[in-house]
Amino acid sequence: VEGSGIRCPFHNWLWMADGSCGNIPYSDHIPPRARIHCWALAESNGIIMVWHHDAGLPPSFEIPILPELESADWTPLVVRRWTIKSHWLDMNENSVDQVHFEYVHGTATQPATTAEVEGHLLKCRSRMKMSTPRGQIDGGIDTDDHGPGFQVVRVHGELETLMINTATPIAHELT
């Protein structure tokens, strides 16, 4: 990062925030077509997100601020990364799959799940019995999918938990 631009390490060109070339160190002339595509960025919750739309449209919603991340009552955010052999959309579709909770996550019962769509937001609410060393307790998972790339999961029951899932496609069947 150099000033308000980014210096490319390959040819040392300086690219400005609007996509224009600001400097070519070995040339006095900058070609008028020397431009790169600019991505819409959002920085919130300690995460930098890049917006992509096949038709080049601007962002149609904002990433919500998660109050838990600023609260002294919550432990600091822990980041984990995995590469999964799966299509990126499978990550979001998982939230409406009631049966997997019992077999994958070990819930005592399959949850009663409701799902509703509000614009870009898919809200899933699941209630189930969770097994603990002291027996079964009532628990729940609230999942909010803000588009396909930002999923907020709040687990209720024995231990309140917040998970932020940012599934990013890196190949056709690799996320």
Side-chain angles (χ1 to χ4, degrees):
V1 175
E2 188 174 307
S4 61
I6 296 177
R7 178 78 61 185
C8 174
F10 197 63
H11 290 105
N12 211 28
W13 291 24
L14 179 66
W15 297 100
M16 308 313 292
D18 67 355
S20 66
C21 182
N23 175 261
I24 302 173
Y26 45 86
S27 176
D28 294 332
H29 174 71
I30 297 174
R33 291 180 40 163
R35 295 193 62 78
I36 57 174
H37 177 77
C38 291
W39 298 94
L41 300 176
E43 183 177 357
S44 65
N45 306 304
I47 301 170
I48 297 174
M49 307 237 6
V50 177
W51 173 265
H52 171 74
H53 191 285
D54 283 343
L57 298 177
S60 56
F61 61 91
E62 292 187 21
I63 300 297
I65 300 298
L66 304 176
E68 295 94 336
L69 298 179
E70 298 296 323
S71 172
D73 295 335
W74 286 75
T75 58
L77 184 65
V78 175
V79 176
R80 300 276 189 257
R81 289 180 174 87
W82 295 273
T83 299
I84 301 169
K85 188 174 179 179
S86 179
H87 190 271
W88 63 268
L89 193 53
D90 293 342
M91 305 300 121
N92 295 81
E93 290 178 349
N94 193 40
S95 63
V96 295
D97 177 5
Q98 300 173 0
V99 174
H100 91 278
F101 283 94
E102 185 175 356
Y103 301 102
V104 175
H105 301 295
T107 62
T109 60
Q110 289 180 13
T113 300
T114 61
E116 62 182 85
V117 176
E118 297 175 2
H120 75 278
L121 179 62
L122 169 63
K123 296 169 94 173
C124 296
R125 304 295 181 255
S126 299
R127 299 296 174 257
M128 75 284 292
K129 295 286 186 188
M130 295 179 164
S131 297
T132 74
R134 295 184 179 160
Q136 291 185 0
I137 62 168
D138 291 325
I141 299 176
D142 297 341
T143 303
D144 292 338
D145 291 346
H146 297 268
F150 189 77
Q151 183 184 65
V152 179
V153 180
R154 290 179 172 92
V155 181
H156 310 284
E158 185 175 25
L159 179 65
E160 297 294 308
T161 304
L162 171 71
M163 293 182 285
I164 304 167
N165 298 322
T166 55
T168 304
I170 56 176
H172 178 64
E173 290 291 327
L174 208 55
T175 302

